[in-house]
Amino acid sequence: MSFIRGLRYGFLFSAFLWVVILLVCRSCYAEYDPKMEETYLAIILTEAAGEPFEGKVAVAETLRNRNWRTTGFSGVQRRDLKKFIQNNSRWKSDARHALRLALAGSNVSQGADHFENTMVYGVPKWAKGKRVVSVIGSHTFWR
């Protein structure tokens, strides 16, 4: 009897473990969400406004390579974000085109999942152990 009870608890535990694993894995990968497009454009605009078009594409690719997660981009935390976007509306079409290229699978950033404006901020501590894969404008891209 105790053997059967042990089997049942073992089954329940393994079922519980699989549910946890599936939930964790599901949260690790996010797909492109068209409802978030304005946020994606804001990230590209704020992070690469003064960069050449190739740099905007590389930022969009980095966003894609992070599975469309929008955390960790300091530009979208600007207090004057709406005003910044309005004042730079001429770049919005560039940002939209860069986003489309990233969605189509472009690889300007060479698979980068991090970047920093090293000309302004220097090399960040988090870059230690990462490999530089591309330098575009004032941004360095790492993987």
Side-chain angles (χ1 to χ4, degrees):
M1 192 69 141
S2 64
F3 174 75
I4 293 173
R5 185 178 302 142
L7 239 113
R8 188 173 10 169
Y9 288 128
F11 173 77
L12 289 174
F13 178 74
S14 63
F16 171 76
L17 195 58
W18 276 110
V19 168
V20 169
I21 289 170
L22 288 172
L23 288 174
V24 168
C25 288
R26 187 172 175 354
S27 68
C28 291
Y29 181 80
E31 293 181 5
Y32 174 80
D33 183 356
K35 296 177 203 162
M36 293 287 292
E37 185 163 309
E38 288 302 312
T39 303
Y40 302 148
L41 293 175
I43 289 170
I44 297 165
L45 278 171
T46 56
E47 299 290 347
E51 295 298 315
F53 179 71
E54 185 180 41
K56 291 174 181 61
V57 174
V59 167
E61 291 171 4
T62 302
L63 182 59
R64 178 198 64 210
N65 295 342
R66 289 183 179 184
N67 295 323
W68 303 106
R69 286 210 168 60
T70 57
T71 55
F73 295 100
S74 60
V76 293
Q77 298 168 0
R78 295 174 63 120
R79 289 183 182 185
D80 65 338
L81 182 61
K82 287 185 180 180
K83 185 176 180 181
F84 179 83
I85 291 172
Q86 288 171 349
N87 291 342
N88 294 291
S89 60
R90 64 188 166 104
W91 287 323
K92 194 168 183 177
S93 64
D94 279 355
R96 185 169 272 111
H97 186 60
L99 183 60
R100 296 289 170 250
L101 288 174
L103 282 166
S106 63
N107 193 23
V108 172
S109 71
Q110 302 299 312
D113 54 16
H114 288 78
F115 64 86
E116 182 63 77
N117 184 334
T118 52
M119 299 232 179
V120 174
Y121 301 107
V123 177
K125 290 179 184 177
W126 54 254
K128 186 177 182 177
K130 292 195 172 288
R131 186 169 58 97
V132 173
V133 291
S134 186
V135 177
I136 302 169
S138 58
H139 281 79
T140 301
F141 294 83
W142 289 271
R143 177 176 46 206

